[in-house]
Amino acid sequence: MYDVYEIRKQFPMLDGNKKMQGKPLVFLDNASTTLKPQCVIDATNRYYAEMTANSHRGDYDLCYFMDVEVAKAREAIAKFVNSEVNEVVFTSGDTEALNLVAYGYALKYLKEGDGILISEAEHASNSLPWFRIAELTKCSIYFINTDGRITVGQVEKSLNKHPNIKLVSIAHVGNVLGYRVDVKAVAKLCHRHNALICIDGAQSVPHLKTDFKDLDIDFLTFSAHKMCGPTGIGALVAKEKLLNDMDPFITGGGMNVSFKNDGTYLLLEAPAKFEAGTLNLAGIMGFRAAVEFLSSIGMENIEEHEKELHAYLLDKMGNNEDVIIYNKDNDGSILTFNKKGVFAQDEATLLNSKGIAVRSGQHCAKMIDRLLGTPATVRMSTYLYTTKEEIDVFVENLLNGGDILDAYFND
Ligand code: PLP
């Protein structure tokens, strides 16, 4: 394990000076985005202060240095998720990576009569791209019959029922309930049924050791900003053969070998053929710093820390009858709840008045309300720097923090 108080010293937002509503910040919205350690801020700044130049576009030293930085970052990300280096495509984030699979792979290979399998617990970014592909190709969308926790058995039932399914796309860890899927077993099953599997890793790669090769999945997507990295950068990791077969969905500079006035063109090999335009170079440098930072702590240690916090949180909450918890039995960092008789947004506003950041609403998963039987919930989510003291502040304010009027007529 690690010393969480030592780790916190590396995060400027956690230096004790940051206040919300005049109260010390208690940041419990880590499923939405995460705070940044100084090493990530420094790496990002280094691009602007010391290294500004484009990559792949010049013959002078600074350009060459940027090429080296991009290559090193790609290597670091490949190492972090155990993939080959040329299986890593830089994208603007998880959303763009999922859209790249949709428009680069599914649009090209799926047709009327084929099927895509998702679940009602998926984030908009892992739902809408498939809805668009269904519109464009006339393929069908099927939903895993689940109460929110996706099991291998449920996926198998769907695959047996719809042998036309060609692609399964699910989150490794759901962003509303935080349940973890047995991805390795599901991937095996998908391949037995001749379907590819795309894993939305937005909520898993930041929290669990992720081994792309061992899981034997076809596509993996994630965002740097949910794992201590900068916004505007993320990755699609995909098997080399699939990347070679896929088409880019944006085209332009930096990804072609040549093009002529007869409309013909030749593209670079993957991953470069998917990276049109100037890359988010500062973001890429920060992304590398983020994965190296996480590795220096150890993903197993981060997972252990979050588990310990989860147990502590549930213990502190006790069996309070005023609070409905929707995912007591989840495996990690997300607790989703409602206070009886209190609208979720009101509860989040009240907690905000105490300096506590949580998320309320549907959390971009707008089909899950049917599974939960409620239109909105409050979600608190921890990360590697969350402390038991912060949990104490949260629980105390949740259980004894007064009501929504306190948020307006300061207590
Ligand atoms: N998928 C899941 C499960 C998420 O939690 C999120 C973000 O909340 C996304 C996709 C989209 O990530 P981004 O907005 O970083 O592209």
Side-chain angles (χ1 to χ4, degrees):
M1 282 299 276
Y2 56 91
D3 183 342
V4 65
Y5 304 99
E6 278 304 310
I7 293 283
R8 285 171 75 87
K9 289 183 187 159
Q10 300 185 44
F11 288 78
M13 289 275 287
L14 296 174
D15 67 0
N17 294 321
K18 189 81 202 154
K19 302 265 191 300
M20 218 165 57
Q21 297 279 317
K23 310 270 183 353
L25 172 68
V26 175
F27 189 78
L28 296 173
D29 193 20
N30 294 285
S32 176
T33 200
T34 55
L35 307 178
K36 319 302 173 200
Q38 192 60 49
C39 60
V40 168
I41 298 167
D42 289 346
T44 308
N45 284 344
R46 202 154 67 83
Y47 173 73
Y48 294 111
E50 296 170 32
M51 304 212 42
T52 303
N54 218 322
S55 62
H56 307 306
R57 281 170 175 80
D59 299 309
Y60 50 92
D61 284 359
L62 282 174
C63 282
Y64 169 72
F65 294 150
M66 266 328 293
D67 287 349
V68 173
E69 286 295 332
V70 172
K72 280 188 184 162
R74 206 183 300 277
E75 270 168 38
I77 280 123
K79 186 170 167 208
F80 188 69
V81 296
N82 193 28
S83 72
E84 295 301 319
V85 177
N86 57 4
E87 291 176 323
V88 176
V89 179
F90 286 117
T91 64
S92 65
D94 186 88
T95 299
E96 188 183 297
L98 285 162
N99 275 275
L100 177 50
V101 180
Y103 290 93
Y105 180 82
L107 185 60
K108 185 171 180 185
Y109 292 106
L110 268 58
K111 55 185 185 324
E112 192 167 357
D114 290 338
I116 298 173
L117 182 67
I118 63 171
S119 85
E120 287 173 316
E122 301 310 317
H123 189 279
S125 297
N126 191 28
S127 306
L128 294 180
W130 311 119
F131 289 11
R132 287 285 295 143
I133 294 304
E135 270 174 13
L136 296 170
T137 65
K138 307 276 185 289
C139 75
S140 305
I141 304 288
Y142 301 112
F143 294 92
I144 299 163
N145 186 8
T146 175
D147 56 357
R149 183 192 273 273
I150 297 173
T151 65
V152 182
Q154 291 160 348
V155 178
E156 187 161 28
K157 271 191 189 149
S158 299
L159 290 169
N160 283 335
K161 192 167 170 196
H162 306 289
N164 57 329
I165 289 170
K166 294 287 187 312
L167 180 71
V168 177
S169 190
I170 50 175
H172 190 164
V173 171
N175 70 302
V176 179
L177 296 173
Y179 288 134
R180 194 186 296 180
V181 176
D182 182 350
V183 167
K184 194 169 172 175
V186 171
K188 217 177 193 174
L189 194 62
C190 290
H191 292 150
R192 219 185 307 136
H193 285 255
N194 294 319
L196 296 182
I197 178 161
C198 173
I199 288 299
D200 176 355
Q203 299 293 345
S204 56
V205 175
H207 301 273
L208 316 171
K209 188 159 181 46
T210 306
D211 188 326
F212 179 74
K213 286 186 189 167
D214 182 56
L215 292 173
D216 191 24
I217 51 182
D218 299 295
F219 304 101
L220 172 69
T221 63
F222 49 103
S223 285
H225 72 94
K226 291 187 196 286
M227 45 199 284
C228 295
T231 54
I233 188 74
L236 164 67
V237 177
K239 284 182 179 163
E240 191 178 349
K241 178 180 176 332
L242 291 168
L243 286 181
N244 291 338
D245 291 346
M246 279 165 64
D247 285 341
F249 86 112
I250 54 168
T251 49
M255 49 79 80
N256 68 79
V257 178
S258 63
F259 55 98
K260 296 191 195 138
N261 64 1
D262 61 1
T264 58
Y265 57 89
L266 188 63
L267 300 183
L268 287 167
E269 289 188 349
K273 77 171 176 187
F274 301 107
E275 295 174 349
T278 296
L279 293 172
N280 177 357
L281 298 167
I284 286 172
M285 289 177 66
F287 197 0
R288 173 183 166 201
V291 297
E292 290 178 348
F293 172 75
L294 295 179
S295 298
S296 74
I297 298 173
M299 293 309 291
E300 288 93 346
N301 291 331
I302 293 170
E303 192 185 341
E304 197 53 41
H305 177 72
E306 290 174 0
K307 260 193 192 157
E308 198 179 309
L309 286 180
H310 188 72
Y312 183 78
L313 169 62
L314 288 180
D315 187 50
K316 274 260 148 187
M317 299 270 280
N319 274 333
N320 194 293
E321 297 208 329
D322 289 340
V323 182
I324 308 160
I325 299 176
Y326 297 93
N327 60 344
K328 253 189 188 167
D329 55 343
N330 91 348
D331 313 290
S333 61
I334 294 176
L335 191 85
T336 303
F337 61 92
N338 268 319
K339 219 164 161 190
K340 276 190 194 151
V342 180
F343 182 52
Q345 214 157 5
D346 285 348
E347 186 55 40
T349 305
L350 176 71
L351 291 170
N352 172 64
S353 76
K354 315 285 181 180
I356 303 167
V358 294
R359 173 92 182 258
S360 69
Q362 294 170 308
H363 323 293
C364 291
K366 297 190 178 174
M367 300 181 286
I368 205 170
D369 51 353
R370 206 184 63 79
L371 306 180
L372 297 179
T374 176
T377 53
V378 188
R379 178 186 72 186
M380 72 81 86
S381 47
T382 60
Y383 201 23
L384 61 97
Y385 38 70
T386 307
T387 62
K388 289 183 177 163
E389 289 77 7
E390 287 181 311
I391 301 278
D392 291 344
V393 174
F394 164 73
V395 174
E396 170 60 21
N397 281 290
L398 175 67
L399 302 185
N400 308 310
D403 62 36
I404 182 65
L405 293 179
D406 296 345
Y408 300 106
F409 303 106
N410 252 320
D411 52 339

